[in-house]
Amino acid sequence: MRFIEIVGKALTEISGNLAKDYVMEISRFHRIQASPGFHEAALFIKDTLAELGYEPKLHKFPADGKRVYLDGWVAPIGWRVFEAELKVTKPEKVNIGRYPEIPTLVIARSASKPDGIEAELIDVGTGMFDNEYKVDVEGKFVLASGRARIVHEKAVKERGAIGIIIYNEKLEVPDAVPYVAIWPTLDEIDKVGLGFSISYRQALRLKNLLKRKGSLTVYGMVKSEFFQSHLEVVEAEIEGSLNEYVLLIAHLCHPKPGAHDNASGSGLLLEIARALQKLIEKEFKLNLGVKFLWVPEFYGTIAYVDSYKDSIRNIKAVVNLDMVGASQEKTGGVLTVVGVAPFNPTFLPLLAYYTLKESAKPLRYYSDHEMLPSLKYTLVPYIDGSDHHVFIDPIWSIPATAYTEWPDKYYHTNLDSVDNLSPKILKIVGSATLALALYLASFNNKSLIESVCICDSVARSYVEERFLELLKDGYEYASLKLKYLGKWMSEAISSLELLVENPKVKEAVIKRSREFKEYVASKASALARLKDCGCIKTVKIKRVDDTRVLMRTKKCPLHLGNVLKRLPKAEREYFIRYLFVERKSFGHDIIYFLFDGKRKVTDVFEEYYAHYKDADPDTFTRLVDALVKTGWLKEQS
């Protein structure tokens, strides 16, 4: 069946309204990882799948604060919150909020103080650096804008503060209360203090009161508990004629309501499961099976992969749904397709982008006239940050991509509600995902030839768009970028040959990949001509001179928090300032996967620099040294 026919079937079967109904149900649960709320949401998914005719499984992996998965990720410990309150009591009374009225008021994994406690409030700026603690905070609350985990370590663990009150001054919506979490291990839970999150407007009010009154007393009460729990993963599948699968995945976690992040992906995945079942009833034939997973983000996926290493090899492609249904007019986002990974270039992002483009086409026509698209979407350079990153790891080398919408002004706040979602967008993304899964699951030689043409066309369009931008970056950097774009995209096209056995078809794939390299070479020649006539500036290329050949030691994505905790204070504070004060991009996950034990550090930096032109050589070098020091990288003899 031709690709466009499959897209048509998916568009006919997927319902945006039904998807939004599923999202609404999921958003009722407070879905902190390894909590009763997550368990209830998982049971809703499982029960709904059973009603749709599936035989779902509920996998349980220990979440005890000590189990280490894939040799690098310590499981969270079970936690639940019952009620909480935060208010100012002196010199005047100000009610700040209560849980569960404000679901994000309590920092996830806060300690319990059911009788409440009154204490003085001290403003410590970001609260992440020693020089901000100019007064004694022992037995007091601190008000801070920094990362909760770091502030908690500085204020509570090191200085004996009662608890922390966190706000985010960078939020676009000043009345939004951020979702904040700390991640204590089992041996740390006795050292955990109270934790609250407040809006930036509330923080400004507290700051003004402190300035006018000189001191404030706040009352904080949290009734919560830690307990031994599980990371729960819901799995369902429809078998094909082969024991191989296309995997569709969404993370189910995050606090109530968490509608866009990520009840949208989880609810849409349910709707895709419903629609697929209907198409199977209409005798749509699958070669590959289709598998569905609902997970606690990263932690659940890593535990699942750790427990089912052998069966992971039967997964041939992964599509991740993470924040996929927002009304762009309300949230200000753009629907993106996660692009080709420099450490593992595959065809899937190119095919996924084309699928989305075709699925969005019905929006462009009215009364037989083509109009401007009412949906903003794009193919972006590879980004990590969600569950696709676990599977595309070169250790598993599974083609993977994600549909995700970014930015979102309500991201990780109590205002991430179902009212911000659009059935129209849910239908488009759901149709694209279902069509892509059906196409891959019914792949044959004709499909492959069609896919080669699609991927080549998307790759050329991508390079053409980037070429115009590269002219602004200077000849030397533009040449470097083109070199690697050619490498990544040609390898992505050639990866299609792994899907078929026919030698003639494989040769056609290799030929198209070779032609793409020639196309990129022609762009490089055009660039050189522009340089010769003085139409493009020259620039100095960034370099790292390090001849060591390093190899990663872990079979998991990099856990930066694990690394930072084990660094000396000065080194740790350098990274904290770089990431959370200067707010610069880091790319540590991508860098880690580039270390394959074959290339020099110099070469790894060059490829990452080609991926991200703002790469900082000094920070890269510091990161590499930190990864060696903490055992995440080792030198090859």
Side-chain angles (χ1 to χ4, degrees):
M1 186 178 294
R2 291 177 60 241
F3 189 84
I4 195 67
E5 295 176 75
I6 292 177
V7 171
K9 286 184 177 293
L11 280 166
T12 300
E13 205 63 57
I14 290 286
S15 166
N17 288 317
L18 286 178
K20 189 171 180 179
D21 288 343
Y22 289 136
V23 174
M24 191 176 301
E25 289 298 315
I26 294 167
S27 69
R28 295 188 298 108
F29 302 108
H30 194 54
R31 309 180 307 278
I32 303 299
Q33 304 88 339
S35 73
F38 187 96
H39 175 68
E40 291 166 3
L43 289 181
F44 167 75
I45 298 289
K46 183 174 180 288
D47 292 345
T48 304
L49 287 167
E51 292 171 5
L52 294 174
Y54 288 86
E55 296 179 1
K57 301 173 184 175
L58 182 61
H59 301 280
K60 295 188 176 185
F61 311 104
D64 53 12
K66 63 180 181 180
R67 179 70 62 94
V68 180
Y69 292 104
L70 287 181
D71 195 34
W73 284 63
V74 180
I77 192 164
W79 178 83
R80 78 182 87 194
V81 57
F82 301 96
E83 59 180 316
E85 183 178 10
L86 182 65
K87 61 185 177 182
V88 177
T89 57
K90 298 174 186 175
E92 57 185 71
K93 299 187 185 304
V94 179
N95 291 320
I96 297 175
R98 293 181 177 180
Y99 176 89
E101 181 181 355
I102 302 174
T104 52
L105 174 70
V106 182
I107 291 176
R109 297 172 195 85
S110 166
S112 183
K113 199 77 174 176
D115 295 330
I117 188 168
E118 280 190 322
E120 185 181 356
L121 179 66
I122 305 294
D123 187 351
V124 293
T126 73
M128 296 189 293
F129 304 99
D130 289 337
N131 62 8
E132 294 179 297
Y133 291 86
K134 303 183 187 303
V135 299
D136 183 11
V137 299
E138 185 175 0
K140 302 171 184 177
F141 282 104
V142 301
L143 177 68
S145 63
R147 299 283 285 199
R149 176 181 54 79
I150 301 167
V151 176
H152 184 269
E153 181 179 331
K154 290 287 183 185
V156 177
K157 291 177 67 176
E158 295 182 11
R159 292 172 171 84
I162 288 292
I164 60 176
I165 301 173
I166 299 293
Y167 65 96
N168 185 347
E169 59 191 352
K170 301 296 183 181
L171 283 181
E172 193 173 335
V173 182
D175 290 313
V177 178
Y179 160 45
V180 178
I182 58 175
W183 301 84
T185 57
L186 180 62
D187 59 0
E188 293 174 327
I189 59 175
D190 291 338
K191 306 178 185 73
V192 173
L194 295 181
F196 296 95
S197 176
I198 64 175
S199 72
Y200 184 44
R201 195 184 302 280
Q202 290 169 325
L204 288 177
R205 185 175 185 185
L206 294 181
K207 286 173 173 286
N208 287 332
L209 278 172
L210 276 170
K211 187 175 181 180
R212 289 191 292 108
K213 304 294 185 179
S215 67
L216 291 181
T217 300
V218 299
Y219 168 84
M221 181 276 289
V222 175
K223 184 179 180 182
S224 64
E225 68 172 349
F226 290 102
F227 58 96
Q228 300 292 299
S229 186
H230 295 90
L231 293 165
E232 296 179 309
V233 172
V234 183
E235 178 182 19
E237 64 184 52
I238 287 183
E239 293 183 350
S241 57
L242 303 173
N243 185 31
E244 296 175 336
Y245 295 89
V246 177
L247 172 63
L248 307 181
I249 187 171
H251 74 82
L252 184 58
C253 55
H254 288 358
K256 181 180 179 178
H260 195 204
D261 189 15
N262 185 38
S264 67
S266 294
L268 183 56
L269 200 56
L270 268 179
E271 169 56 12
I272 294 169
R274 184 202 65 79
L276 177 59
Q277 193 75 283
K278 291 294 182 184
L279 287 173
I280 296 301
E281 290 172 6
K282 296 174 184 178
E283 300 188 344
F284 192 100
K285 302 298 183 185
L286 300 178
N287 297 328
L288 305 185
V290 178
K291 190 184 292 284
F292 301 88
L293 286 183
W294 289 262
V295 298
E297 191 174 21
F298 273 112
Y299 287 95
T301 303
I302 288 170
Y304 178 89
V305 169
D306 196 3
S307 302
Y308 297 102
K309 296 185 183 74
D310 293 337
S311 62
I312 293 300
R313 302 293 182 186
N314 295 332
I315 297 173
K316 298 305 175 183
V318 175
V319 182
N320 179 24
L321 300 178
D322 186 354
M323 301 175 62
V324 291
S327 166
Q328 296 180 342
E329 294 82 3
K330 292 182 179 180
T331 63
V334 175
L335 190 59
T336 63
V337 181
V338 171
V340 174
F343 50 81
N344 186 14
T346 75
F347 68 91
L348 190 59
L350 305 177
L351 202 56
Y353 175 75
Y354 181 78
T355 313
L356 179 64
K357 185 178 179 181
E358 289 299 310
S359 299
K361 265 189 175 179
L363 291 179
R364 302 178 64 189
Y365 293 91
Y366 177 72
S367 188
D368 296 326
H369 293 286
E370 185 172 351
M371 305 178 70
L372 291 175
S374 58
L375 174 68
K376 295 178 288 184
Y377 57 90
T378 187
L379 177 67
V380 297
Y382 183 80
I383 50 177
D384 43 41
S386 191
D387 298 284
H388 58 278
H389 191 63
V390 179
F391 295 96
I392 202 170
D393 181 341
I395 287 176
W396 312 112
S397 199
I398 301 171
T401 188
Y403 290 123
T404 183
E405 194 167 335
W406 189 257
D408 180 342
K409 66 178 70 173
Y410 306 109
Y411 169 73
H412 276 199
T413 75
N414 63 316
L415 300 184
D416 178 12
S417 72
V418 74
D419 294 335
N420 298 329
L421 301 188
S422 163
K424 176 181 69 176
I425 306 299
L426 287 166
K427 179 178 177 66
I428 290 170
V429 180
S431 299
T433 306
L434 177 57
L436 184 59
L438 291 172
Y439 190 62
L440 293 171
S442 56
F443 222 66
N444 54 35
N445 290 336
K446 289 182 179 179
S447 303
L448 185 69
I449 297 300
E450 186 178 30
S451 297
V452 170
C453 295
I454 290 170
C455 291
D456 179 73
S457 176
V458 173
R460 288 178 188 242
S461 297
Y462 185 83
V463 171
E464 286 291 341
E465 290 178 11
R466 297 306 177 277
F467 185 76
L468 295 177
E469 290 299 314
L470 285 173
L471 297 181
K472 305 172 187 176
D473 293 330
Y475 174 74
E476 289 76 10
Y477 183 76
S479 297
L480 178 71
K481 182 80 171 185
L482 270 177
K483 167 188 167 184
Y484 280 102
L485 269 180
K487 172 181 178 290
W488 300 330
M489 293 299 180
S490 62
E491 288 181 11
I493 293 168
S494 65
S495 71
L496 280 161
E497 69 168 306
L498 300 175
L499 298 180
V500 293
E501 300 296 331
N502 189 305
K504 289 184 178 180
V505 177
K506 284 193 173 190
E507 179 55 36
V509 175
I510 295 168
K511 180 182 177 184
R512 186 60 70 101
S513 176
R514 189 164 54 241
E515 289 171 350
F516 183 83
K517 288 180 182 178
E518 293 168 358
Y519 157 74
V520 174
S522 72
K523 304 302 290 185
S525 298
L527 198 65
R529 291 193 295 272
L530 288 170
K531 180 197 173 222
D532 291 342
C533 68
C535 296
I536 185 171
K537 65 184 178 181
T538 60
V539 293
K540 186 177 180 180
I541 289 290
K542 300 174 186 176
R543 297 190 187 282
V544 167
D545 294 320
D546 189 336
T547 59
R548 288 178 297 170
V549 176
L550 300 178
M551 179 77 176
R552 50 185 283 207
T553 63
K554 311 289 186 183
K555 296 181 179 180
C556 62
L558 179 63
H559 194 302
L560 189 61
N562 177 295
V563 174
L564 295 182
K565 282 174 69 172
R566 298 164 62 192
L567 290 177
K569 182 179 292 187
E571 294 177 48
R572 184 167 65 248
E573 290 201 349
Y574 171 85
F575 290 113
I576 290 170
R577 189 173 299 280
Y578 188 90
L579 286 167
F580 306 129
V581 177
E582 299 174 13
R583 293 179 183 264
K584 294 181 179 178
S585 183
F586 204 47
H588 50 275
D589 285 308
I590 297 171
I591 291 168
Y592 189 62
F593 280 172
L594 284 169
F595 280 103
D596 57 4
K598 300 175 183 177
R599 293 176 296 172
K600 298 174 184 177
V601 175
T602 296
D603 302 325
V604 171
F605 175 77
E606 182 179 90
E607 187 152 7
Y608 178 65
Y609 178 36
H611 177 73
Y612 178 60
K613 71 178 181 181
D614 292 329
D616 177 55
D618 181 53
T619 303
F620 174 87
T621 301
R622 286 173 178 255
L623 174 66
V624 171
D625 291 342
L627 295 179
V628 172
K629 186 177 296 185
T630 55
W632 283 76
L633 288 176
K634 66 178 181 180
E635 190 166 358
Q636 295 290 88
S637 58

